[in-house]
Amino acid sequence: FEGIAHEWTRRGSATSLTARFLEKARLSSAAVLLEEVTERRLTLPPSWAPLVIEEAQRGDAVAMAIIQWGAAELAGLAVG
């Protein structure tokens, strides 16, 4: 979600996750998605996580960074 917000505010790179999440949520724009989530009218379900993996496999830099962050956090838990 943060990657989509950064793209929309032009503080980050473009990401294919925006289109994928909009499609899943059946929304028309990133602005609407951001509003729906921040106003708690929409919760991003864990079942959408495979979208991030799919887009990372397709080379989306934002999606790859999310996967790398998750892996580092998991590794940190394992190490302690």
Side-chain angles (χ1 to χ4, degrees):
F1 181 75
E2 184 177 302
I4 294 169
H6 283 179
E7 175 188 18
W8 186 75
T9 59
R10 296 189 173 116
R11 293 180 297 141
S13 302
T15 176
S16 57
L17 291 171
T18 302
R20 296 294 304 273
F21 278 42
L22 289 174
E23 180 182 332
K24 275 293 212 185
R26 297 184 177 145
L27 296 172
S28 59
S29 71
V32 173
L33 176 65
L34 295 170
E35 181 179 343
E36 292 297 306
V37 172
T38 56
E39 293 295 324
R40 297 189 174 146
R41 294 186 295 254
L42 173 67
T43 301
L44 303 179
S47 63
W48 292 10
L51 298 176
V52 178
I53 296 167
E54 290 170 14
E55 294 310 308
Q57 290 172 332
R58 291 183 177 130
D60 184 274
V62 173
M64 289 190 297
I66 292 168
I67 299 298
Q68 290 171 343
W69 173 84
E73 289 295 309
L74 186 58
L77 288 172
V79 173

